[in-house]
Amino acid sequence: DAGVIQSPRHEVTEMGQEVTLRCKPISGHDYLFWYRQTMMRGLELLIYFNNNVPIDDSGMPEDRFSAKMPNASFSTLKIQPSEPRDSAVYFCASSLFPSYGYTFGSGTRLTVV
Amino acid sequence: GQQVMQIPQYQHVQEGEDFTTYCNSSTTLSNIQWYKQRPGGHPVFLIQLVKSGEVKKQKRLTFQFGEAKKNSSLHITATQTTDVGTYFCANKAAGNKLTFGGGTRVLVKP
């Protein structure tokens, strides 16, 4: 199993541009999560899906953020327009309820200049 | 979600020594998970504790869930340089939603 796959690994963009982060969960995992990690705020849950349906998006910072899961093997997190304060590492994770633990992807380091 | 607080934030340990990091909550926790994140890496699941007073061991790591299910600890014996990283506890609430503590960053002095 290749694990949770995220792309790109690094993204540098200018303020105001649209950014799309991608995630492929582990096959068979019913839950997919998007987290953001910063020094100031730690690991924050942004949104999670169950069977491709968004369940809780209360962590999404504002309307500039949106997430989709069109099928069981793909999810996107989009920021439009991006701002410097969005700079962070964005992790995607998946899990098989009720199994142990989340499997995290390697993350996307986003820098907005 | 339930907040979990971790102490200490930073832990400087001499190689070969033991240390303990703690995870505390003001409310009863349904369960606790522990993760390790190496510098520049991603969180990796270590273990889940569910029962009151539960103790689990993984080689040099000992995980404990408090009797009142309001705290948990991770004890590492004979610290090695491979133990460097940030250790997170996380509370798994209903609906499979995981809330992370702030982490304990461990630095090992050779």
Side-chain angles (χ1 to χ4, degrees), chain B residues 24-45:
Chain B
N24 299 312
S25 171
S26 58
T27 58
T28 302
L29 302 168
S30 54
N31 57 49
I32 275 286
Q33 293 187 1
W34 285 89
Y35 290 76
K36 177 184 179 181
Q37 184 176 21
R38 294 182 185 273
H42 57 277
V44 174
F45 174 73

Side-chain angles (χ1 to χ4, degrees), chain A residues 4-35:
Chain A
V4 176
I5 300 172
Q6 291 187 247
S7 64
R9 288 298 307 273
H10 302 272
E11 177 80 33
V12 180
T13 191
E14 292 186 346
M15 182 173 62
Q17 296 298 306
E18 177 179 297
V19 176
T20 299
L21 311 181
R22 297 173 177 80
C23 175
K24 176 180 169 55
I26 290 175
S27 177
H29 280 193
D30 294 331
Y31 288 80
L32 183 140
F33 308 84
W34 283 100
Y35 280 85

